[in-house]
Amino acid sequence: MSLSPTIRRRLRCRGVVQGVGFRPAVYRLAVDHGLGGFVRNDADGVTIEVEGAARAVTDFEAQLQGALPPRARLVELTVEDAACDGHRDFVVADSAPGRRGRAIVPPDLALCANCRREFADPQDRRHRHPFATCTDCGPRYTIVRTLPYDRSRTSMASFPLCPACAREYAAPRDRRFHAEPICCPECGPRVWCSDAAGGNRFEGAAAIAQARWALAAGAIVALKGIGGFQLACRADDGDAVARLRLRKRRAGKPLAVMARDLPAAGRLAVLRAEDEALLASARGPIVLAPQRPDHGIAPAVTAGVLDLGVMLPTTPLHEALFDGADYDVLVMTSGNRSEEPICIDDDDARARLADIADVFLMHDRTIVRRVDDSVVRTMPDPAAPCVIRRSRGYAPAALALPVTAREPILALGGHLQVTACVAVDEAAHPSQHVGDLDNEAARAFLREVATGLEEFLAVTPRLVVADLHPDYASTWLADELARARGGRVLRVQHHLAHAAAVLAENGALPLEPGHREFALVLDGTGFGTDGTAWGAEWLELDGELRWRRLAHGTAMPLVGGEQAVREPWRIAVAALVNTGHDDWLCRLPLAAIVPAQHLRNVAEVCDHGRWPLATGAGRLFEAAGALLGLAAVNRFEGEAAMRLEALAAASTAARPWPEPVLDPDSRELPHTALLVAAAHRLLDGEAAAAVARGLLATYAALAVELTCRVLPPHCRRIALGGGCFANRLLTADLVLGLAARGVTTLRARELPPGDGGLAFGQAALAALASARGLEPRELPSPTTTAPE
């Protein structure tokens, strides 16, 4: 019987391999096979060396992928022979220092089931500990300063391990083996509660009890979460919700709620099994789902829209607020004044939230990066929810680029729902949600996020990508950074970036000459190459980065310019007046929400030649919402369109109207005619809900027809991008209608279809442009016939 020879192998692991329990899993597998060697974090990921009998080493390699923890993702594994050194022990070695190569850290992870059980167990030493964590859950991205991911490089370095935690940290079979955020009541962090001035202070368990009592009594509490402060109050207390809205200056935008558990969440909103799984996942997002009519929370929480945003407790501190409380649901919203970045620093929170919160629940663990809650909307296909805001639980998870980037790239998105994205090597790293760049604080936050992501990835890109719009703050920042670095700016048309984001995420961005792909982008506004505002665009892109506009929605005048975006009734008035129906205005629901004099004033100046033009589908849906009397003013982006969808959902009349129709050989979807048709039906006595549903169904039917008209015969797929694809009814009608015509659709999955995914599309195009030595080049639009 021959003995198996002794060999040593070196395995280099790339992907999500730090901060997810990867090294402990490797350690256990190696010890189980009787191997010596080590595993350690390094600048590129994790390096493993195993030594022992050849059969045992081979078995280790074969079983490695299956032994990994659930949050790990092994993207690349290289194996090479190494010289044997005779050591029989296997150890978790100290991390190898060095400039970051390709190492990445996972997003923050919601509280796991094991830690939740320990939290609830009176016999466990972490009973009611508000910072319980292990290798499967807890803060990651919001506490790490630099890579490799070790406790000494996180904000937990301030809390030396107590003897009990040190034993767990060093015990190979313990689930806290090398869990960097490990802690307990003995070693900290510490929690306290006070009023806005810092007085009336309580500490430890008494602090949480005081905050819980204050919430029950109707107070507003500012609590320090994983990625920033949150503002909480009882969701069933209408007075508390009204005070929160007034103090936060959030007049109309819906508020999210946190439910005690899944049964409580199910009493609030219609949740399918897939929705419940998403709520309870490690990502733990806010899930937008249709609200139940008898949910029992204050009407001011949802403010008249279809959905309720629900989340579960994602941290032990959240769990503690529900422990023994007589409420099941709390409003849980960002700790900021509306349109400002969330607070992460204690002093900043006291200063900015002092006139909002009655009570502050604080702790002494530093938040390194501000990261807001993610938001995901349920869709008719339960397997394909729509990401609305990609932040905690998602960022900074990487997405694959279509080609390896020849140089680091920074993309800065547009103006609304902004994120940044840094592309390095074969991966793009979208940042957490930044928001709208309407004020200096938000613009400073974009700079903070962009430079912070660069520092985290240890790159300083000289290729910076920006939107075509010359007056976006993100464009100004791109110019400034490129100039300071001696680099260059690549400007990408807004809707082309939307198309590229969906195509790249689905691995469909054209790479070869002659390869063409097609996209339909429906959103509110994007700067067009002709100087108008685009927003309903059929685009073609080929492997040489040539693109063209195949079709679009008809342009509508924005009477009053930017004011028409805030007041969409102006667009509706122009549509009627310019088609000779100004006498309808006083008889429509619109007249009940807009003063008659204002209607007359706008009607008198609706000449096409003097106002900017917009083809945006979002502008059309907002104008329809105003026409139906749902909203005269958008208090937040897309409010009138959201109310249109909510009204449409109440109707079962989902059939398209017989009019309007596409003109023969037309490449325009008739926006104005749709508004006129909706007004005509209202005047004929059709129910408003049926008109709302019919308008969406008709839009989808016309879009299907136009898509089939412009696609070449051999192409039977199209990418769907833009914020309008967060609309459940429109998306379902379009996807089903196209499928019935043999056209498959590609949709955003990990990214928002709206402007939150824009930076990734910019980065993907820039990577391709840099690799090819090309830039996107627009070709003339066709006139009547479909492309060959």
Side-chain angles (χ1 to χ4, degrees):
M1 178 176 171
S2 61
L3 296 176
S4 179
T6 297
I7 63 172
R8 189 178 183 93
R9 290 277 176 79
R10 181 178 298 116
L11 294 81
R12 301 187 188 276
C13 307
R14 310 290 177 260
V16 184
V17 294
Q18 295 188 17
V20 289
F22 189 94
R23 290 175 298 169
V26 169
Y27 177 95
R28 288 188 284 269
L29 185 64
V31 170
D32 288 348
H33 284 81
L35 301 174
F38 66 84
V39 58
R40 71 180 176 202
N41 286 342
D42 58 32
D44 283 313
V46 168
T47 297
I48 306 167
E49 290 195 13
V50 287
E51 181 174 331
R55 181 180 297 277
V57 170
T58 301
D59 289 346
F60 171 89
E61 293 173 4
Q63 296 171 22
L64 177 61
Q65 182 73 56
L68 297 182
R71 311 302 170 212
R73 186 166 63 90
L74 189 57
V75 174
E76 179 184 338
L77 175 66
T78 59
V79 182
E80 60 189 20
D81 293 329
C84 294
D85 66 9
H87 286 101
R88 294 188 174 184
D89 293 335
F90 193 89
V91 298
V92 177
D94 291 340
S95 296
R99 183 178 177 84
R100 182 220 172 244
R102 287 182 286 177
I104 53 177
V105 74
D108 303 294
L109 305 171
L111 188 66
C112 71
N114 286 325
C115 285
R116 184 173 277 109
R117 279 193 294 269
E118 291 176 346
F119 177 88
D121 183 1
Q123 304 305 313
D124 194 278
R125 72 187 191 92
R126 290 188 176 84
H127 177 50
R128 294 179 174 171
H129 178 50
F131 306 100
T133 183
C134 69
T135 54
D136 292 329
C137 68
R140 298 293 192 273
Y141 187 52
T142 54
I143 62 169
V144 65
R145 301 185 190 279
T146 60
L147 294 173
Y149 178 68
D150 293 304
R151 189 181 183 91
S152 60
R153 296 179 178 88
T154 73
S155 57
M156 289 300 294
S158 305
F159 306 99
L161 293 178
C162 70
C165 284
R167 285 192 296 272
E168 291 172 329
Y169 185 87
R173 301 293 173 179
D174 196 288
R175 81 173 196 283
R176 293 188 171 90
F177 181 47
H178 279 267
E180 307 305 343
I182 183 176
C183 62
C184 73
E186 180 66 26
C187 47
R190 306 282 187 267
V191 63
W192 67 90
C193 179
S194 71
D195 59 28
N200 214 15
R201 182 174 171 125
F202 297 82
E203 298 187 358
I208 295 171
Q210 178 68 12
R212 198 164 46 232
W213 175 86
L215 286 166
I220 297 169
V221 173
L223 65 142
K224 190 176 182 181
I226 278 189
F229 277 79
Q230 296 170 301
L231 292 166
C233 72
R234 286 188 67 142
D236 60 356
D237 186 332
D239 290 340
V241 175
R243 279 186 282 111
L244 176 59
R245 282 197 175 278
L246 180 64
R247 295 177 184 180
K248 189 176 163 68
R249 299 177 189 169
R250 184 164 171 155
K253 195 172 185 180
L255 296 164
V257 300
M258 179 177 284
R260 176 190 295 274
D261 50 28
L262 273 176
R267 292 191 291 270
L268 302 173
V270 179
L271 299 172
R272 300 159 299 188
E274 295 86 353
D275 308 328
E276 291 183 346
L278 181 59
L279 266 177
S281 70
R283 286 174 158 178
I286 296 168
V287 173
L288 300 178
Q291 57 183 301
R292 294 190 182 279
D294 54 350
H295 51 52
I297 64 175
V301 172
T302 55
V305 299
L306 175 67
D307 285 353
L308 177 64
V310 186
M311 64 189 302
L312 295 180
T314 56
T315 71
L317 188 58
H318 291 140
E319 288 281 345
L321 291 178
F322 286 99
D323 188 23
D326 65 353
Y327 48 76
D328 286 336
V329 189
L330 294 172
V331 168
M332 195 66 65
T333 189
S334 305
N336 57 0
R337 208 178 294 282
S338 288
E339 310 308 328
E340 293 181 355
I342 56 174
C343 301
I344 59 172
D345 175 78
D346 294 357
D347 291 338
D348 181 43
R350 286 196 191 93
R352 287 205 281 146
L353 305 180
D355 56 353
I356 300 177
D358 305 303
V359 174
F360 284 74
L361 185 59
M362 319 272 271
H363 59 74
D364 56 355
R365 184 179 69 205
T366 299
I367 300 172
V368 176
R369 289 178 184 81
R370 68 185 91 223
V371 179
D372 213 335
D373 294 317
S374 294
V375 180
V376 178
R377 192 177 198 206
T378 65
M379 298 298 280
D381 179 357
C386 177
V387 178
I388 303 297
R389 187 168 77 191
R390 186 181 188 272
S391 217
R392 179 192 49 76
Y394 290 77
L399 280 77
L401 286 168
V403 295
T404 299
R406 293 179 58 186
E407 59 181 315
I409 298 164
L410 170 64
L412 292 172
H415 181 75
L416 301 176
Q417 305 169 30
V418 171
T419 61
C421 183
V422 174
V424 185
D425 298 325
E426 71 282 354
H429 303 265
S431 76
Q432 66 270 39
H433 173 78
V434 173
D436 302 347
L437 304 183
D438 289 330
N439 56 60
E440 285 303 320
R443 295 164 191 166
F445 184 27
L446 174 60
R447 182 188 298 271
E448 171 191 313
V449 164
T451 56
L453 191 57
E454 290 175 339
E455 291 169 4
F456 182 68
L457 298 171
V459 293
T460 306
R462 297 177 67 251
L463 174 54
V464 188
V465 196
D467 194 271
L468 274 185
H469 200 298
D471 293 328
Y472 281 176
S474 56
T475 303
W476 303 338
L477 179 59
D479 289 338
E480 176 192 331
L481 293 176
R483 188 166 51 249
R485 298 169 181 182
R488 67 191 190 282
V489 175
L490 174 65
R491 303 194 189 283
V492 176
Q493 199 280 324
H494 189 91
H495 302 93
L496 178 62
H498 272 309
V502 179
L503 289 168
E505 187 185 343
N506 285 276
L509 200 65
L511 303 179
E512 302 298 330
H515 179 196
R516 294 183 294 172
E517 292 289 348
F518 300 84
L520 167 57
V521 182
L522 302 178
D523 68 355
T525 299
F527 192 73
T529 56
D530 61 358
T532 64
W534 293 3
E537 311 303 322
W538 281 256
L539 304 178
E540 174 190 357
L541 174 66
D542 70 18
E544 296 178 277
L545 290 181
R546 298 176 303 184
W547 67 279
R548 58 177 174 168
R549 190 187 193 196
L550 299 175
H552 55 84
T554 53
M556 300 176 293
L558 300 178
V559 181
E562 192 66 26
Q563 195 170 358
V565 177
R566 294 189 297 273
E567 300 177 0
W569 62 268
R570 294 167 172 268
I571 299 172
V573 169
L576 296 177
V577 171
N578 288 330
T579 53
H581 300 298
D582 47 315
D583 58 317
W584 292 2
L585 292 175
C586 62
R587 299 157 52 201
L588 290 165
L590 174 69
I593 60 171
V594 180
Q597 186 59 51
H598 291 183
L599 292 176
R600 287 192 293 271
N601 291 344
V602 168
E604 290 172 0
V605 294
C606 282
D607 175 52
H608 270 273
R610 58 188 300 176
W611 301 112
L613 298 176
T615 66
R619 298 286 85 86
L620 167 69
F621 299 141
E622 290 171 354
L627 189 75
L628 287 158
L630 303 176
V633 177
N634 279 323
R635 293 172 295 177
F636 56 91
E637 187 199 1
E639 179 181 5
M642 289 174 62
R643 295 187 182 281
L644 176 75
E645 183 191 8
L647 181 63
S651 172
T652 57
R655 290 183 300 276
W657 300 332
E659 81 294 330
V661 297
L662 296 179
D663 291 337
D665 297 324
S666 171
R667 288 179 173 270
E668 291 191 359
L669 196 150
H671 285 175
T672 299
L674 273 168
L675 288 173
V676 172
H680 189 271
R681 286 173 172 270
L682 286 170
L683 294 177
D684 278 352
E686 189 169 325
V691 172
R693 187 65 188 92
L695 183 138
L696 292 175
T698 306
Y699 193 98
L702 293 171
V704 168
E705 182 62 34
L706 189 50
T707 299
C708 294
R709 185 174 291 186
V710 302
L711 285 180
H714 64 276
C715 176
R716 307 313 293 166
R717 77 175 180 185
I718 191 166
L720 305 180
C724 291
F725 286 107
N727 183 309
R728 286 195 195 98
L729 302 176
L730 177 70
T731 300
D733 288 349
L734 256 170
V735 170
L736 291 174
L738 288 168
R741 302 287 290 272
V743 179
T744 60
T745 51
L746 304 177
R747 290 174 48 209
R749 304 286 178 163
E750 287 293 310
L751 291 165
D755 286 4
L758 200 67
F760 171 69
Q762 293 172 337
L765 280 174
L768 189 55
S770 178
R772 298 287 169 79
L774 301 170
E775 289 196 5
R777 179 164 61 94
E778 185 181 11
L779 299 177
S781 296
T783 52
T784 55
T785 57
E788 296 290 329

